[in-house]
């Protein structure tokens, strides 16, 4: 099977993190989530975390150079036999151009998870996560068995600071302005696919799996 990089494109709340975790496991991709990496840096209080904290809490984008360094490092060190699944990167055209260079010969494809705005709001305001094992819940759609407690490990669930309504509005604005133009960038390279992300986690997972199979087939045909 050819090695490749797949970008999950989509607004905050589209389910990129949830899907990427599962796709990474089932298809053996190295999952790179810039949001998760940055949150871990903030948690540890590193120099990078200190630089990123306020920007993230305001729903703005962390400087391209910082994020590019993170992704470049992961691409170089990932054994990536099967390839990489990028979740939350690139977020603008500068980052997309950077990725073209950093990926080298690795083919890059984008799969856009499309979700309606009203649905996004519910997903984001209802989102909770377990700081211990990383499980994600939603108080409306997939609540834990006991309110506020992780089913898997019993830890107290948390809400991201940037999942407050006013910050969500800003993140969506930044997405429309800076990230959505990437649709044109990848479409013009014939490296663009879409899935309907309004359905449940399982249905979206099936659709994403089908797109990945389609990409694999096209790469195999091209290499013959
Ligand atoms: P996410 O978990 O992908 O929603 O990311 C959370 C926050 O981390 C974003 O709102 C940004 O502040 C920051 N962030 C994550 N990925 C990037 C990126 N590729 N470029 C700039 N900022 C990012």
């Amino acid at each position: 099977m050819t090695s490749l990089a797949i970008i999950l494109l989509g607004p905050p709340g589209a389910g990129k993190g949830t899907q990427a975790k599962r796709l990474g496991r089932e298809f053996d991709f190295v999952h790179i989530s810039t949001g998760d990496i940055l949150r871990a840096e903030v948690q540890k209080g590193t120099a990078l975390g200190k630089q990123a904290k306020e920007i993230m809490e305001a729903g703005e984008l962390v400087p391209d150079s910082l994020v590019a360094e993170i992704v470049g490092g992961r691409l170089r060190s990932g054994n990536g036999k099967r390839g990489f699944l990028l979740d939350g990167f690139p977020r603008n055209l500068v980052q997309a151009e950077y990725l073209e260079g950093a990926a080298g010969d690795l083919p890059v494809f984008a799969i856009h998870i499309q979700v309606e705005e009203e649905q996004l709001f519910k997903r984001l305001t209802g989102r909770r996560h377990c700081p211990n094992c990383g499980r994600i819940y939603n108080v409306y759609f997939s609540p834990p068995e006991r309110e506020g407690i992780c089913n898997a490990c019993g830890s107290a669930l948390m809400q991201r600071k940037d999942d407050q309504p006013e910050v969500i509005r800003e993140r969506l604005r930044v997405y429309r302005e800076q990230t959505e133009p990437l649709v044109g960038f990848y479409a013009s390279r014939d490296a663009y696919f879409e899935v309907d992300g309004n359905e449940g986690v399982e249905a979206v997972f099936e659709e994403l799996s089908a797109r990945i199979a389609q990409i694999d087939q096209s790469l195999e045909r091209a290499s013959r």
Side-chain angles (χ1 to χ4, degrees), residues 34-35 38-39 56 60 62 67 88-89 91 95 160 171:
T34 43
L38 289 167
R39 275 185 290 279
M56 293 173 76
E60 308 297 339
V62 170
V67 190
F89 184 93
R91 273 283 220 287
Q95 295 181 9
R160 280 171 49 170
R171 289 164 64 205

Side-chain angles (χ1 to χ4, degrees), residues 150-165:
C150 178
N151 294 347
C153 72
S155 304
L157 299 180
M158 293 183 66
Q159 182 172 27
R160 280 171 49 170
K161 277 208 177 137
D162 60 353
D163 280 345
Q164 305 297 329

Side-chain angles (χ1 to χ4, degrees), residues 4-7 100 107-111 182-194 211 214-219 221-222:
L4 75 166
I6 294 183
I7 299 159
E100 293 282 289
V108 177
F109 292 87
I111 309 181
L182 296 183
V183 167
F185 182 90
Y186 291 105
S188 71
R189 282 162 170 68
D190 248 349
Y192 176 76
F193 294 82
E194 282 175 2
R211 291 294 89 73
Q214 205 180 337
I215 292 170
D216 274 336
Q217 281 165 9
S218 73
L219 285 174
R221 270 198 305 275

